[in-house]
Amino acid sequence: MKKSVFPVGTFAVVMLAILGLGLARLRPLIPNERAIRGVSAADFISQGTSQSIPWEENLADALARGRRMDRPVLLYMGTVWNRSGRKFDETVLRDPDVQNYIDRHFVPVRIDLDESPHLLSAYAPLSRVENGGVSTIQMAFVMPNGVLYRLFFPRASNAEAMGFLAELVASFGQFNSIRETPSELPVAQQNERDLLYQGSVQLSGYDRYYALLKDSLDQARGGLIGGSPTSRAVAWRSFLLLGDFQDFTTASKRSLSSGLVDWLDGGFFGVAVDSTYSKIEFDKPSELNAEIMLTLAMASSIKPEPNIDLIGKATFDWLYKITTEAGHVPTARIGQENGFDRDPRSSFYAKDFRQFWNTGKVTPTQAKFATETLGLDTQTNRSMVIQVSDWSAIESDKFNPTLTALRKSKSGVKPKMTTLPMASVNGATIAAMISSARLWNDSERLEKAVQLFSDLEDFRSQSEISRKPHFAPGTERFLGDYLAYCDAAMSKYQATGDPTALDAGLQVLRRARSLFRTALRGVWSPSISSRTQPLAATDSPDVLDCQGESSIGKLIRVLTRYGHFYEEFRRDAQDAAEHFSGILPETRQLGAGIFNAVAELNDDTYVLTVGPDRVKLSNALAPKVAARFVAPASPNSFRELKPGVYLVAGNQPVGPLSEKEAQLRISPRLSTP
């Protein structure tokens, strides 16, 4: 009698099912295909290659796939130098359940914001302020037609797998609800655009904005209320431009006397994640450091303060060091936090001090000074970074020897930098370095900064600017890159009188005006892509100062400055100011770049120097009227003027004046309507 094969078949089916379930559980642990192949990618994209998530790298492709599969798109935008993003990648997105759910329900796309910065503001630029999501890490849940329906902001505080899994489930449920009832799709994106493009707005909105900015000062403890405790250098600058030095001190003093200052290497860490500034995230964005440096240079010109000078110049030296080592300005130093959320280069431990004593690198006296005066006490300083909360410590005879010993003790730990240089970061940083050295009247640093300008030529071909050096293929054109080059070219011209720099900036600005023009006068699109732009209906200008000055703020300021020499740019600057001034109260401190630019536009009296000594005169006057535009006359403007100093308002020069007369007759501050 023939045996039945039923038990054998059943056994085989059961084993295959078990094997299938096992493979399903193991699949998230299998490295991403790109990681296996070792494919080169942008820093933030490479950061996700250890996850078994089928990340797309192009938004248009992801939306097309979403339409084919009838799935929402999970758009994850970030930078490798954002600590919250790194923590989210290391913990939440490596969780098997999270990876499985994403794989089964979404089309995930990963965008490096260093390479595609315009996407940071493409979805809900103003709502991000209300939600506290203003840093360079965010997730957008997008319908397959490209319309946003939900936002999520990864934070170190919400980097927990079960909580994010619940967010994913809720997001997919919302997608199904919208698909069944399209009328439920939120109209927030259209509301955002309506708010941004208000048309002509009375500039009285600026008065309300400045009042709100002053109201945000924490008069008791210092700093600005609202948002993460970080360095809002562009907002600090608002007070300097309008002559409110005491308010500048109140706004900046907490950051300047906290662990945000990197006393070991120079410069500033990006953010503190608690109100006591005891927990530091160790990323050091170059553009943020450049903005702080320029603000401190302006402050020390208006009211000399040795400690502000010391911190500002140390920031310059840090930026110069990393630039000369890398050949270009790196986008950021990347923090390398360990399990204790400390950085091996910037943090100190009790075991470090014991080792220092044994090796003689740090004496017991220096260790005591570091603990008691420089804040290296684990009870009050979780990050164990040097803190100079009492500036009188700088005058101590123990300060410099202790700092030198601490630096030597960390000399074997090298900082980690981003790999791909970006045009906007290089342009903004070099412009700030030139301007800062000029305000310090520091000829040695000015010469170094001017030399760095040649590095920008790697991003330029005639009047075109590439995001990456040498016109790397596939990069989109970004308005911020063009403006940063123009800003640096004008800064070089102001400091040196070099007409070739002014002419190069002029040609690039003219090209940018034609390349990025939109239907509205004075409002320029942030990006141009050779591919079909999937965000054509939702693309929004960059109005927020996340790390430095926003594109629209820079647009107004750069147009104003070139407009002093070339009338053709003035109207665009005025139109852009009218379109965006009304939104300022909604932007809090992050809209300060637009505020500062329009203040300069509306109080446009500037200083022009003429004659053989025009560069020398210009550089001598610049630190004395730091809030004003000061420049030597160009070869093509005001040729009929006699040598000397002129005040120009409404394109009408008054002079010649002596240096002292000019200083007395021009207000050192800007005024607003």
Side-chain angles (χ1 to χ4, degrees):
M1 183 176 176
K2 189 176 181 180
K3 283 189 176 181
S4 172
V5 297
F6 182 79
V8 177
T10 302
F11 176 77
V13 170
V14 171
M15 290 304 296
L16 286 172
I18 293 172
L19 180 61
L21 289 172
L23 289 173
R25 294 295 295 173
L26 287 172
R27 186 180 184 279
L29 304 178
I30 301 172
N32 185 288
E33 180 185 358
R34 284 188 298 275
I36 297 172
R37 298 200 317 265
V39 174
S40 175
D43 290 334
F44 181 70
I45 293 173
S46 296
Q47 185 173 286
T49 54
S50 62
Q51 303 154 3
S52 184
I53 295 175
W55 294 110
E56 293 277 357
E57 296 178 17
N58 180 278
L59 181 55
D61 292 344
L63 290 170
R65 186 175 158 210
R67 289 190 291 273
R68 290 195 304 270
M69 301 179 72
D70 193 23
R71 288 186 180 183
V73 171
L74 190 163
L75 173 57
Y76 186 25
M77 299 173 280
T79 60
V80 70
W81 44 269
N82 186 296
R83 168 60 175 154
S84 294
R86 288 199 303 277
K87 190 165 186 179
F88 225 75
D89 273 323
E90 292 164 2
T91 56
V92 176
L93 293 177
R94 287 184 182 175
D95 180 82
D97 292 325
V98 168
Q99 294 186 33
N100 271 326
Y101 196 86
I102 290 174
D103 186 38
R104 294 198 310 269
H105 296 86
F106 294 91
V107 176
V109 58
R110 195 176 180 98
I111 301 293
D112 190 316
L113 288 173
D114 280 341
E115 292 198 325
S116 302
H118 60 283
L119 289 181
L120 180 63
S121 293
Y123 286 112
L126 300 181
S127 295
R128 289 190 298 125
V129 180
E130 298 301 322
N131 287 284
V134 294
S135 66
T136 50
I137 193 80
Q138 66 186 56
M139 286 185 179
F141 293 95
V142 183
M143 300 296 288
N145 62 0
V147 177
L148 169 78
Y149 72 91
R150 191 182 186 96
L151 283 170
F152 178 78
F153 302 101
R155 293 286 181 268
S157 58
N158 64 16
E160 191 271 320
M162 290 305 295
F164 183 62
L165 188 60
E167 174 69 23
L168 291 174
V169 172
S171 175
F172 189 74
Q174 188 175 357
F175 165 73
N176 283 328
S177 177
I178 292 169
R179 187 172 51 176
E180 294 173 5
T181 312
S183 61
E184 291 185 10
L185 184 63
V187 294
Q189 185 66 35
Q190 186 58 47
N191 291 340
E192 294 261 350
R193 290 179 59 78
D194 291 343
L195 187 59
L196 282 166
Y197 296 114
Q198 296 180 73
S200 295
V201 177
Q202 294 299 316
L203 294 180
S204 59
Y206 265 33
D207 295 333
R208 187 161 76 92
Y209 171 77
Y210 190 56
L212 290 172
L213 187 62
K214 287 177 70 71
D215 286 345
S216 72
L217 291 168
D218 188 335
Q219 298 291 349
R221 297 185 301 168
L224 293 162
I225 301 169
S228 301
T230 188
S231 303
R232 298 290 187 214
V234 182
W236 302 348
R237 201 178 304 160
S238 301
F239 298 115
L240 291 175
L241 291 173
L242 301 185
D244 294 336
F245 197 87
Q246 182 55 52
D247 286 338
F248 160 78
T249 302
T250 302
S252 64
K253 66 182 181 182
R254 290 195 74 199
S255 291
L256 296 178
S257 61
S258 75
L260 285 174
V261 179
D262 183 0
W263 284 96
L264 199 65
D265 287 322
F268 287 75
F269 301 114
V271 66
V273 296
D274 63 342
S275 60
T276 63
Y277 288 67
S278 68
K279 187 176 180 182
I280 304 297
E281 293 190 357
F282 293 92
D283 303 293
K284 290 173 64 177
S286 296
E287 192 167 353
L288 174 66
N289 273 267
E291 295 287 8
I292 299 171
M293 173 189 63
L294 180 56
T295 300
L296 298 185
M298 183 180 293
S300 62
S301 297
I302 294 171
K303 187 176 180 181
E305 167 55 65
N307 295 329
I308 285 180
D309 224 30
L310 180 66
I311 295 172
K313 289 178 178 178
T315 305
F316 179 102
D317 294 341
W318 158 255
L319 290 169
Y320 183 76
K321 179 178 184 292
I322 62 174
T323 300
T324 52
E325 288 178 350
H328 293 91
V329 183
T331 302
R333 184 199 111 162
I334 303 171
Q336 301 179 74
E337 294 88 345
N338 56 24
F340 297 96
D341 282 331
R342 293 176 185 161
D343 182 271
R345 179 174 178 85
S346 303
S347 300
F348 293 87
Y349 303 82
K351 67 176 183 179
D352 287 333
F353 290 119
R354 290 193 295 271
Q355 182 182 1
F356 300 158
W357 296 337
N358 294 334
T359 61
K361 292 180 180 177
V362 177
T363 68
T365 301
Q366 291 169 344
K368 182 178 180 183
F369 183 81
T371 302
E372 296 180 353
T373 309
L374 300 186
L376 295 181
D377 182 349
T378 55
Q379 299 300 314
T380 58
N381 184 355
R382 292 168 59 192
S383 293
M384 286 297 285
V385 292
I386 299 168
Q387 293 186 355
V388 184
S389 55
D390 182 357
W391 281 10
S392 65
I394 299 173
E395 307 301 323
S396 168
D397 58 2
K398 299 184 182 69
F399 182 75
N400 283 323
T402 302
L403 209 55
T404 299
L406 292 173
R407 286 188 182 119
K408 286 182 179 178
S409 72
K410 293 291 185 179
S411 60
V413 185
K414 302 301 181 184
K416 182 180 180 183
M417 312 300 297
T418 53
T419 57
L420 294 176
M422 302 295 169
S424 64
V425 175
N426 277 257
T429 302
I430 292 169
M433 292 177 75
I434 294 173
S435 298
S436 297
R438 185 174 182 240
L439 290 175
W440 290 320
N441 196 21
D442 187 327
S443 59
E444 183 179 348
R445 286 188 172 90
L446 180 58
E447 183 179 356
K448 289 179 176 179
V450 168
Q451 288 173 348
L452 293 180
F453 181 81
S454 61
D455 294 341
L456 284 177
E457 298 308 305
D458 285 345
F459 298 90
R460 183 170 76 97
S461 176
Q462 301 300 319
S463 61
E464 298 290 6
I465 303 294
S466 171
R467 180 78 184 139
K468 299 176 186 177
H470 314 301
F471 280 70
T475 59
E476 296 176 333
R477 302 290 173 84
F478 174 52
L479 173 61
D481 295 331
Y482 284 73
L483 294 175
Y485 180 90
C486 296
D487 193 21
M490 178 59 78
S491 297
K492 180 183 178 183
Y493 175 75
Q494 287 178 266
T496 66
D498 180 0
T500 62
L502 185 62
D503 185 63
L506 169 66
Q507 299 308 318
V508 169
L509 190 58
R510 282 176 174 163
R511 175 56 176 156
R513 182 174 58 182
S514 64
L515 186 63
F516 296 96
R517 170 79 74 188
T518 66
L520 292 170
R521 282 187 57 85
V523 180
W524 297 8
S525 171
S527 69
I528 299 292
S529 173
S530 58
R531 306 186 61 159
T532 302
Q533 181 59 267
L535 301 177
T538 57
D539 205 21
S540 296
D542 173 19
V543 297
L544 301 178
D545 307 324
C546 294
Q547 294 299 323
E549 190 178 34
S550 65
S551 288
I552 294 301
K554 194 182 295 290
L555 173 70
I556 297 168
R557 182 174 59 80
V558 169
L559 287 173
T560 297
R561 295 187 174 186
Y562 277 84
H564 294 322
F565 295 107
Y566 308 100
E567 181 71 25
E568 63 193 271
F569 299 113
R570 290 189 181 184
R571 178 63 186 275
D572 275 355
Q574 292 166 350
D575 286 348
E578 288 180 353
H579 276 295
F580 293 108
S581 62
I583 67 166
L584 278 176
E586 313 298 329
T587 64
R588 302 177 187 169
Q589 299 118 22
L590 295 166
I594 298 178
F595 172 84
N596 297 344
V598 178
E600 184 175 331
L601 170 70
N602 284 283
D603 192 352
D604 69 345
T605 302
Y606 66 96
V607 179
L608 189 73
T609 58
V610 179
D613 294 330
R614 64 189 185 279
V615 175
K616 182 179 178 181
L617 276 172
S618 174
N619 289 341
L621 265 170
K624 298 173 182 177
V625 286
R628 297 290 183 170
F629 180 81
V630 182
S634 75
N636 300 318
S637 62
F638 300 107
R639 295 181 182 180
E640 74 285 358
L641 297 179
K642 297 177 181 179
V645 180
Y646 292 80
L647 302 185
V648 185
N651 212 33
Q652 298 300 314
V654 176
L657 307 171
S658 69
E659 183 181 327
K660 186 173 182 180
E661 285 177 319
Q663 186 181 349
L664 289 172
R665 291 183 63 169
I666 191 170
S667 168
R669 53 168 284 171
L670 299 176
S671 59
T672 55

